[in-house]
């Protein structure tokens, strides 16, 4: 009977560790409207979504890394999003309220997370931002990305004329 309890305890421990290893790492909050266009998990890599403009978006991995890909007029354009995917979320978000939707990609890996922002229009995709965010909080606003560490607000990136600019606090004395 004790051996059975021991085996049950080990099985429960293995299941708990496996479940804990699959948990979402990222802590990203959107302040304005966002639209989720794709959710991909490692066990279901064939998921597809549709952008606001009608193009199909998907994701994939091979030995060289992982990517998102968008099909535009019969051809596919790709952008790398890391070496592995546990859970990948892609959102459309309008930085600067100019009606151009950027793609915000959050790639939760096994022990960390990465945040990417891409501009996309008519088959052209360009990386605007990339940051390892671990489990730290990120707040995405109309014109800003705010990065928080346990001690408080760490860094702010301002979206201005299609680029992100690092804002450094200036202390007036």
């Amino acid at each position: 009977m004790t051996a059975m309890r021991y085996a049950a305890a080990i099985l429960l421990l293995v299941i708990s560790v496996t479940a804990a290893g699959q948990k979402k790492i990222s802590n990203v909050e959107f302040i304005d409207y966002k639209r989720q266009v794709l959710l991909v998990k490692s066990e279901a890599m064939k998921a597809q979504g549709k952008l606001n403009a009608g193009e199909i978006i998907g994701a994939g991995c091979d030995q060289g890394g992982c990517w998102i890909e968008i099909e535009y007029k019969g051809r596919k354009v790709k952008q790398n999003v890391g070496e592995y995917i546990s859970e990948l979320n892609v959102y459309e978000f309008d930085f600067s309220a100019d009606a151009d939707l950027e793609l915000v990609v959050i790639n939760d890996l096994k022990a960390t997370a990465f945040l990417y922002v891409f501009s996309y229009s008519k088959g052209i995709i360009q990386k605007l931002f990339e940051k390892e965010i671990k489990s730290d909080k990120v707040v995405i606003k109309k014109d800003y990305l705010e990065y928080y560490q346990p001690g408080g607000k760490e860094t702010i990136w301002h979206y201005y004329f299609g680029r992100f600019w690092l804002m450094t606090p200036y202390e007036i004395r």
Side-chain angles (χ1 to χ4, degrees):
M1 195 68 161
T2 346
M4 240 165 97
R5 284 186 180 168
Y6 182 70
I10 289 177
L11 181 61
L12 183 62
L13 180 64
V14 168
I15 290 171
S16 299
V17 168
T18 303
Q22 301 286 331
K23 286 185 181 175
K24 190 173 178 179
I25 299 294
S26 64
N27 181 11
V28 179
E29 176 185 342
F30 289 84
I31 296 300
D32 208 344
Y33 173 79
K34 68 175 179 319
R35 180 174 166 262
Q36 185 173 21
V37 294
L38 183 64
L39 170 61
V40 176
K41 296 188 177 192
S42 59
E43 61 272 3
M45 289 294 293
K46 297 294 181 190
Q48 290 186 329
K50 188 178 264 191
L51 298 177
N52 195 43
E55 291 98 340
I56 301 297
I57 183 170
C61 292
D62 62 16
Q63 293 87 7
C66 298
W67 62 87
I68 58 168
E69 65 182 8
I70 301 170
E71 187 172 332
Y72 179 76
K73 293 188 176 182
R75 70 179 181 95
K76 293 182 180 181
V77 292
K78 293 182 180 182
Q79 267 292 346
N80 290 331
V81 291
E83 297 176 2
Y84 183 80
I85 293 173
S86 288
E87 181 175 311
L88 179 99
N89 284 283
V90 180
Y91 300 92
E92 288 182 315
F93 186 81
D94 187 4
F95 286 99
S96 76
D98 60 359
D100 289 332
L101 298 174
E102 286 75 29
L103 300 177
V104 176
V105 178
I106 303 161
N107 187 3
D108 283 295
L109 304 169
K110 289 183 177 180
T112 190
F114 281 86
L115 172 71
Y116 301 89
V117 178
F118 299 102
S119 66
Y120 174 76
S121 180
K122 299 179 182 176
I124 299 172
I125 187 168
Q126 179 181 8
K127 186 186 320 180
L128 301 175
F129 185 83
E130 175 182 356
K131 172 88 175 131
E132 181 178 12
I133 58 174
K134 302 173 189 159
S135 60
D136 298 324
K137 181 178 178 181
V138 175
V139 177
I140 299 177
K141 297 180 177 180
K142 179 180 72 108
D143 290 323
Y144 300 98
L145 291 172
E146 297 177 349
Y147 179 68
Y148 294 82
Q149 288 187 327
K153 193 182 300 182
E154 175 72 23
T155 312
I156 301 171
W157 290 275
H158 181 93
Y159 184 78
Y160 184 70
F161 283 114
R163 296 253 188 245
F164 283 96
W165 302 87
L166 178 63
M167 295 179 67
T168 307
Y170 181 75
E171 189 176 320
I172 299 176
R173 296 179 193 202

